[in-house]
Amino acid sequence: MAEKVVILGGGVGGMSAAHELIERGFEVEVYERQLIAGGKARSIPVLEGEDDHGSKEEHIRALKDWIGMHGYDLPPGVKRPWLPGEHGFRFFPNFYRHITNTMSRTPYYDKGTCYDNLVPTTQVLVSQFDHPGIIVPERFPQSLKEVANALKTFAFTISPRNEIDFEDIEHFIGCMWRIATSCKERRFDEYERIGWWEFIGAAERSEAYQKFLAIGLTRSLVAAKATTASTKTVGDVAIQLQLGIATPEATSNRLLNGPTNLVWIQPWLEYLKSRGVVYHFDSKVTGIECRNGRIASATVEQDGTQKQVTGDWFISALPIERIAPLVTPAMTKVDPGLAKLPLLAEDVQWMNGIQFYLTKDVELAHGHVIFIDSPWALTAVSQKQFWSQIDFENWADGKTKGLLSVDISEWDKPGTNGKTARDSSREEIAKEVWEQLKRSLNVDGNIVLRDEELHYWFLDPDIVEDPDHPARESNVEPLLVNRINSWRLRPEAATLIPNFMLASDYVRTNTDLATMEGANEAARRAVNAILRRSGSEAQPCEIWDLHEPDILQPLRAYDYARYQAGEPWDERFAIAVEAALRMGQDATGTKRGGQGPLAAIGPLTAEYSKPGGIVEDPAISDALRMVAAPPELYNLMAAHLPGRDTPIPGADFAEDLAIGIVEATSPPTDTSGRKVIITQKG
């Protein structure tokens, strides 16, 4: 008889664990608090007829009507009396491997797999108040227009709006070089304890440096804040994103081609159920009983009554703020590390979505938009251009022609109305977000957003009235953020309780970020622990590490030897390069990006890359395609970049050199201050 696994929580972590377990012969039951699958990744039906702007009471009524209409059973293309809403837009960076692997094994009706519903983005628009935005490429240039965009971005990066001195840009690049050439051990030990703001020296540099480089980068990393985020986390993910742009592959970052549940979550759920997974909705976990050193049962509330759930194995896929109160003294007696979860539960921020339904489609950029000056840290996607699966004529009253999906990541700073988002009503939040968007996009006489074209709006129903402070908002689903030195609080997927595992985004993973990818990797680690402890002969789940630039392997080996010897990262090369560049800049009198030779390429790149520019002329586009390199060439280049798929010579030499330097300069010490002798590499 198959062993039974009880999974508490039916979001991405719970569904990922169920997927791996059911394919390996286990009996699986999932208990989910919501009325709809997907957890934080879910999309949401929005019923205009119910006046459903997302308030809890209105939305629960609308959701029950949706269930009564069997809305979850409707395939794409069928008319629906609701609009597509989202907890927040879904984003799949090119370094995601775990969740995309699971998607590639999930059937999508009779049309391939859910992985096929991912579509690449090509741009990021960095938008400012009262200034034209700048388009940043999200992949290696594959056309003349993208080359022009890349050149313009280069000039912009050298000095955005001519506000940042070359010296500061070079310092920032030096910081990124330091991360890329540091060994993993140094990142976990030193950089985990340093805030990103401190690491890049933001406090001592200009406001523009802080805004574009310190804050702008972390704003794209979920709800991470530059002043409190761990350098290890921000640095590692920044390297991954930069690698994705620098590598000439056909795809880069990706979005879904339709509402999340329609093109991913619901087909996934149907596949799991077809394999035998029992999925319980409206089931709130209220307790976990640990008896004789093992989990004996979980208490679940269904339809107002409590029931005990038993099984051979238990996996908690609950978010950190929900599992922490359920940890009991009996559990921490077996695994003292679980006592840290309440502390970790304090490391949460808000990142919630609001959708604006427009009577006219607005394509802001072929990818994400970062509203760099918005007080509420807004990011957005203009969805319709990617949602090839969706005919808006078949949704609600048919008046919606475009959808702007916005995430709000800063809830505690005053907006242009003088109020924080947390202290605003739902209507005030919608109005203020719309005003911040307009101020960022309606510039230089170009009106992108018009009040008369705003048809409807929907704010995430997780934003509710705070019961203790009725004039303020509360968030029932906050998001874990990686604060400085929080790795020590995070547990492994396999706890010391023999039959209890964790599969959520706060678990220690290679991904190291509260994302769908992190949750999926955690689930795989939990399943692998069950396989080991149960003695199963099933194939373990595959787990990938983040990609490290192979060509820098000798430098990381060199740094590893220095780290082992207690020596700091070797900054001499970076200092020498910065000094040489500064000498050249002083000699030519060039301090910022708008001066010197960069000024000459500005008008040309602006003409080539602007919307409606010359390269968008159909005749010219066709001519350029005829002379452009075929896409196959880019794939070939990607496979044969120096060091990408082949061993890099020199790593052993670099490590030997570092050992020799360290031994010659100073006797190393361990963390206790005792002298140590290096006798072998590594």
Side-chain angles (χ1 to χ4, degrees):
M1 185 175 179
E3 295 185 55
K4 178 181 177 182
V5 183
V6 174
I7 300 177
L8 309 176
V12 169
M15 295 179 74
S16 299
H19 192 132
E20 303 298 341
L21 288 164
I22 203 69
E23 290 187 343
R24 288 166 173 79
F26 288 82
E27 180 185 347
V28 183
E29 287 194 11
V30 180
Y31 292 86
E32 165 58 32
R33 179 178 63 92
Q34 300 282 355
L35 297 174
I36 190 169
K40 289 187 179 74
R42 69 189 181 278
S43 55
I44 306 168
V46 179
L47 273 72
E48 292 177 271
E50 299 283 356
D51 195 27
D52 179 19
H53 288 282
S55 68
K56 206 57 150 179
E57 182 178 347
E58 296 164 351
H59 182 64
I60 291 297
R61 183 171 62 250
L63 196 56
K64 289 181 177 178
D65 286 349
W66 173 80
I67 293 171
M69 290 183 276
H70 290 271
Y72 46 85
D73 282 337
L74 297 182
V78 176
K79 188 170 179 59
R80 292 161 162 78
W82 59 81
L83 290 165
E86 300 274 346
H87 175 79
F89 58 76
R90 304 272 64 79
F91 174 40
F92 297 80
N94 48 31
F95 66 89
Y96 279 17
R97 300 191 66 183
H98 299 90
I99 192 65
T100 51
N101 172 268
T102 302
M103 294 174 75
S104 71
R105 293 157 39 215
T106 305
Y108 180 64
Y109 302 109
D110 58 349
K111 303 175 183 177
T113 70
C114 289
Y115 179 83
D116 300 326
N117 290 330
L118 292 175
V119 291
T121 63
T122 61
Q123 303 171 331
V124 173
L125 170 61
V126 181
S127 185
Q128 286 186 267
F129 277 179
D130 309 321
H131 290 285
I134 181 74
I135 294 288
V136 180
E138 271 202 310
R139 68 177 182 187
F140 194 85
Q142 298 182 22
S143 68
L144 179 59
K145 181 176 180 180
E146 291 184 14
V147 169
N149 266 334
L151 289 172
K152 190 171 72 169
T153 302
F154 171 72
F156 178 80
T157 303
I158 289 293
S159 185
R161 305 289 175 217
N162 302 328
E163 297 173 12
I164 306 181
D165 286 341
F166 280 153
E167 182 178 345
D168 286 347
I169 296 293
E170 290 150 8
H171 173 77
F172 181 80
I173 294 173
C175 291
M176 297 300 295
W177 173 259
R178 177 178 175 184
I179 292 169
T181 58
S182 293
C183 64
K184 281 189 175 182
E185 291 76 10
R186 189 181 301 281
R187 297 182 207 175
F188 273 102
D189 182 19
E190 296 178 15
Y191 301 166
E192 171 67 13
R193 304 168 190 267
I194 302 174
W196 177 249
W197 192 262
E198 176 186 352
F199 183 81
I200 65 172
E204 296 81 35
R205 287 175 166 78
S206 68
E207 181 181 350
Y209 178 93
Q210 296 170 358
K211 179 170 66 175
F212 286 104
L213 300 179
I215 298 174
L217 181 61
T218 58
R219 185 167 292 189
S220 63
L221 306 179
V222 293
K225 292 190 175 181
T227 52
T228 59
S230 155
T231 293
K232 179 208 170 294
T233 299
V234 176
D236 279 353
V237 175
I239 293 296
Q240 299 302 306
L241 294 174
Q242 292 303 312
L243 279 173
I245 296 173
T247 302
E249 294 177 330
T251 60
S252 54
N253 298 325
R254 295 150 295 187
L255 299 169
L256 288 166
N257 65 359
T260 306
N261 278 50
L262 181 62
V263 301
W264 175 32
I265 299 296
Q266 192 62 36
W268 192 11
L269 177 62
E270 293 304 319
Y271 170 71
L272 297 180
K273 291 165 67 175
S274 73
R275 294 294 301 264
V277 173
V278 179
Y279 198 102
H280 302 275
F281 290 106
D282 199 16
S283 302
K284 181 180 179 181
V285 181
T286 59
I288 301 175
E289 183 182 4
C290 183
R291 190 168 61 241
N292 299 323
R294 296 176 63 87
I295 301 301
S297 66
T299 304
V300 177
E301 182 180 309
Q302 293 177 320
D303 298 324
T305 61
Q306 307 275 341
K307 78 171 190 176
Q308 300 300 308
V309 177
T310 60
D312 300 295
W313 305 91
F314 290 81
I315 294 178
S316 171
L318 300 170
I320 184 62
E321 74 277 2
R322 295 197 177 274
I323 183 60
L326 301 179
V327 175
T328 66
M331 295 168 68
T332 57
K333 183 178 180 180
V334 183
D335 188 345
L338 295 176
K340 299 176 182 178
L341 294 187
L343 291 174
L344 187 62
E346 298 176 4
D347 289 348
V348 294
Q349 294 289 335
W350 296 16
M351 188 177 189
N352 298 72
I354 182 171
Q355 281 81 54
F356 294 103
Y357 304 92
L358 310 175
T359 57
K360 179 182 178 182
D361 187 32
V362 175
E363 293 186 13
L364 303 179
H366 194 260
H368 295 85
V369 184
I370 298 175
F371 296 91
I372 199 74
D373 287 332
S374 61
W376 289 359
L378 306 180
T379 51
V381 171
S382 182
Q383 293 280 23
K384 188 175 185 296
Q385 61 188 314
F386 299 104
W387 283 9
S388 59
Q389 293 271 3
I390 298 301
D391 179 1
F392 277 102
E393 296 287 342
N394 284 331
W395 291 76
D397 58 12
K399 294 180 180 178
T400 294
K401 306 300 180 185
L403 171 56
L404 192 57
S405 187
V406 184
D407 280 351
I408 310 169
S409 297
E410 176 56 74
W411 291 76
D412 296 308
K413 289 185 178 179
T416 60
N417 62 356
K419 298 180 69 173
T420 68
R422 191 191 296 260
D423 290 325
S424 302
S425 68
R426 300 177 64 81
E427 291 74 16
E428 288 173 331
I429 291 172
K431 181 179 179 181
E432 172 62 15
V433 171
W434 183 250
E435 292 302 319
Q436 291 184 28
L437 296 178
K438 287 196 299 182
R439 186 171 173 187
S440 300
L441 298 170
N442 296 351
V443 298
D444 284 358
N446 182 27
I447 306 302
V448 177
L449 299 181
R450 302 176 187 274
D451 292 341
E452 61 270 23
E453 293 173 354
L454 175 55
H455 174 53
Y456 203 74
W457 60 267
F458 177 83
L459 177 63
D460 186 353
D462 282 339
I463 302 300
V464 300
E465 186 178 274
D466 190 332
D468 298 324
H469 304 88
R472 307 193 79 198
E473 302 292 348
S474 181
N475 189 348
V476 297
E477 286 192 275
L479 188 70
L480 178 76
V481 295
N482 292 39
R483 297 185 192 272
I484 301 165
N485 204 25
S486 62
W487 182 264
R488 62 187 176 84
L489 301 176
R490 297 168 65 182
E492 301 288 347
T495 77
L496 297 181
I497 301 174
N499 67 334
F500 184 56
M501 315 302 159
L502 304 173
S504 194
D505 55 18
Y506 60 85
V507 170
R508 289 182 175 182
T509 61
N510 295 332
T511 306
D512 190 26
L513 199 63
T515 56
M516 301 177 293
E517 175 76 353
N520 185 278
E521 182 188 342
R524 290 166 180 256
R525 292 175 179 272
V527 170
N528 285 349
I530 291 178
L531 296 179
R532 289 193 302 270
R533 294 179 181 184
S534 67
S536 172
E537 296 182 357
Q539 183 74 20
C541 306
E542 191 167 6
I543 293 175
W544 292 271
D545 202 348
L546 295 178
H547 176 68
E548 298 282 350
D550 293 342
I551 200 145
L552 299 181
Q553 182 184 343
L555 295 175
R556 290 195 299 274
Y558 172 78
D559 184 61
Y560 178 71
R562 289 180 62 87
Y563 171 81
Q564 288 287 88
E567 293 293 314
W569 178 77
D570 192 339
E571 63 180 1
R572 290 174 295 178
F573 176 74
I575 290 175
V577 171
E578 285 189 43
L581 290 172
R582 194 175 301 118
M583 288 174 61
Q585 291 152 18
D586 290 343
T588 60
T590 304
K591 294 293 185 181
R592 299 185 179 183
Q595 303 170 346
L598 289 177
I601 71 171
L604 178 64
T605 59
E607 178 61 30
Y608 275 121
S609 61
K610 72 181 182 181
I614 186 172
V615 295
E616 290 190 358
D617 180 274
I620 294 178
S621 295
D622 289 341
L624 290 174
R625 272 193 290 271
M626 292 175 65
V627 299
E632 292 78 14
L633 179 59
Y634 290 103
N635 293 328
L636 187 65
M637 291 169 61
H640 292 85
L641 280 177
R644 182 169 174 81
D645 291 322
T646 56
I648 292 293
D652 289 343
F653 172 78
E655 196 168 356
D656 291 338
L657 177 64
I659 292 171
I661 292 174
V662 170
E663 289 181 336
T665 54
S666 61
T669 60
D670 65 12
T671 54
S672 65
R674 295 172 297 182
K675 303 298 181 184
V676 296
I677 302 297
I678 299 176
T679 58
Q680 60 181 9
K681 289 180 283 187

